Amino acid sequence: MELQTYFKEYSDSPLINFPEIIYSNLYKKVQNNFHFEFVSDKEKYLFSPLYISLIGESPAEFREFLSQNNSFFDSLKNFIINSLFIYSAIIEENSYYITDPQNITIARVIPHGDGKFELKFYSHYEDELQNSYSDKIYIGRDFINILQFERKYLGLKSFYLSFIEQNKKIQERAKHKLRYYKDYKKPYLNEIDYSVKEMVSDSIDRIKMTPETKISDISTVKLIESLDNILYLQNLMIELRELNIEFENKLRMSKEIGFAKYLTKFSKDLKNGILYLRKLSTHMHLRISGFPICKC
């Protein structure tokens, strides 16, 4: 399918259905160095902030489509950045990479239909793009719907459901990537499989108790209950991450590097999730206490 087909029905005018945010220097750095990577039929095409083709032989039709719709893709970029500000902690968690003057931020855009996109974020040295693009550093993922900016359940539901899909990929890849699959299946793979399913099931039940899209919409009484649930979810995620790190270290000691890299990405997503839950809990603590720091 042609790349422009994914965006054509939305590109007639810039996106305006998202809140304006005054960026800090950290977020300005992301905005100024934001590179789109588009995926089509397993091919990947990287474009500069000015929509110049950098990596991959992208179709001429799509390059022309980009040049004619800069304003739409600029608004999509801001939609994504503002989503990260409100519904994730990916930027804060990866500030070490982002603030490096030589680093750029790459957003891989994966269409899922009906305005929905999966986004995978990477960091890379700008002057090494051409020679070592495959060495880019994975820093996290997010899910957006450009038809609706606000997310129910504080944006947590789709994030947790993604862990189910990631677990499936880990279990399947283990069968093909691990030299001694049987040695790792019972002590680690089975435990990760069980822990992910238990964490997601328990978390979704608790998330549904807070259907609001904003912390400011939650009553104080309900906010206290929501905070308890957020802290509980955080503990579950910390336990899973510790198990994942233990398995990853075991694999690296056994020279199972080819598979260990998948667990590294999984750990990064768990760490991003933990920090986002802490971000939410901080806002909730402040609202409950009545400390007038913001109206978020």
Side-chain angles (χ1 to χ4, degrees):
M1 183 182 294
E2 295 180 350
L3 276 169
Q4 59 265 36
T5 302
Y6 294 126
F7 299 100
K8 195 170 184 180
E9 64 180 296
Y10 310 114
S11 60
D12 289 339
S13 58
L15 299 172
I16 58 173
N17 59 335
F18 58 92
E20 292 186 11
I21 291 173
I22 298 174
Y23 293 146
S24 63
N25 288 336
L26 177 62
Y27 277 82
K28 285 179 182 177
K29 178 70 162 53
V30 174
Q31 185 186 43
N32 294 334
N33 293 278
F34 193 98
H35 289 57
F36 275 117
E37 184 192 77
F38 299 102
V39 180
S40 177
D41 298 327
K42 297 185 179 180
E43 295 294 326
K44 301 178 179 67
Y45 310 110
L46 182 71
F47 289 85
S48 75
L50 297 178
Y51 306 109
I52 298 170
S53 180
L54 299 176
I55 302 290
E57 296 183 9
S58 56
E61 295 84 354
F62 185 63
R63 293 197 300 272
E64 182 180 357
F65 178 75
L66 273 177
S67 67
Q68 294 173 350
N69 293 278
N70 280 187
S71 59
F72 167 77
F73 285 99
D74 283 345
S75 70
L76 176 60
K77 173 180 65 177
N78 291 333
F79 187 106
I80 291 170
I81 294 173
N82 291 11
S83 293
L84 293 175
F85 178 84
I86 295 175
Y87 293 113
S88 88
I90 291 174
I91 301 303
E92 293 87 346
E93 166 59 25
N94 294 283
S95 61
Y96 174 81
Y97 301 109
I98 292 168
T99 55
D100 187 316
Q102 299 183 61
N103 268 15
I104 63 168
T105 300
I106 299 167
R108 178 180 296 169
V109 181
I110 307 170
H112 283 192
D114 299 324
K116 297 177 183 178
F117 296 86
E118 178 180 357
L119 307 167
K120 293 184 179 180
F121 298 96
Y122 300 86
S123 180
H124 204 303
Y125 280 135
E126 186 171 15
D127 59 1
E128 296 179 3
L129 280 174
Q130 298 296 331
N131 296 326
S132 58
Y133 186 57
S134 61
D135 293 337
K136 56 188 177 296
I137 298 172
Y138 175 77
I139 61 174
R141 79 179 68 211
D142 193 25
F143 302 85
I144 63 169
N145 183 344
I146 62 174
L147 302 180
Q148 181 176 338
F149 181 83
E150 291 187 349
R151 309 181 193 179
K152 289 181 66 175
Y153 314 114
L154 304 176
L156 290 169
K157 186 176 180 180
S158 60
F159 183 75
Y160 272 101
L161 291 178
S162 75
F163 285 124
I164 294 291
E165 184 62 30
Q166 290 181 69
N167 177 52
K168 288 180 181 178
K169 290 180 179 179
I170 286 172
Q171 300 297 328
E172 185 61 29
R173 283 168 174 161
K175 297 175 184 178
H176 304 287
K177 297 287 186 179
L178 288 175
R179 292 175 297 167
Y180 305 106
Y181 172 72
K182 292 182 179 179
D183 293 344
Y184 300 111
K185 188 175 189 315
K186 187 174 181 180
Y188 291 109
L189 289 165
N190 287 355
E191 185 63 25
I192 286 177
D193 184 58
Y194 173 81
S195 297
V196 168
K197 291 175 180 176
E198 182 182 46
M199 178 190 75
V200 172
S201 177
D202 199 354
S203 299
I204 293 297
D205 288 341
R206 290 173 179 266
I207 288 168
K208 288 181 178 178
M209 297 179 187
T210 308
E212 289 84 356
T213 61
K214 301 176 184 176
I215 292 177
S216 59
D217 293 339
I218 307 172
S219 67
T220 303
V221 173
K222 194 173 182 180
L223 198 62
I224 295 172
E225 179 186 357
S226 298
L227 177 57
D228 289 341
N229 286 328
I230 290 295
L231 296 174
Y232 178 80
L233 300 183
Q234 179 179 295
N235 291 338
L236 290 180
M237 200 172 286
I238 289 172
E239 290 174 1
L240 178 57
R241 183 167 184 267
E242 289 176 348
L243 171 63
N244 194 72
I245 290 175
E246 180 184 337
F247 186 23
E248 182 184 345
N249 290 338
K250 179 74 172 179
L251 290 170
R252 293 190 182 281
M253 289 176 59
S254 302
K255 308 300 181 182
E256 297 276 10
I257 307 301
F259 180 70
K261 65 180 182 180
Y262 297 114
L263 294 181
T264 301
K265 290 182 178 180
F266 192 45
S267 286
K268 170 58 73 173
D269 287 339
L270 288 167
K271 190 173 182 181
N272 288 338
I274 292 166
L275 192 58
Y276 177 51
L277 291 171
R278 287 176 179 167
K279 188 175 178 178
L280 289 176
S281 67
T282 298
H283 285 304
M284 290 180 177
H285 275 295
L286 290 170
R287 262 214 60 205
I288 291 169
S289 70
F291 189 75
I293 190 171
C294 67
K295 297 181 180 180
C296 53

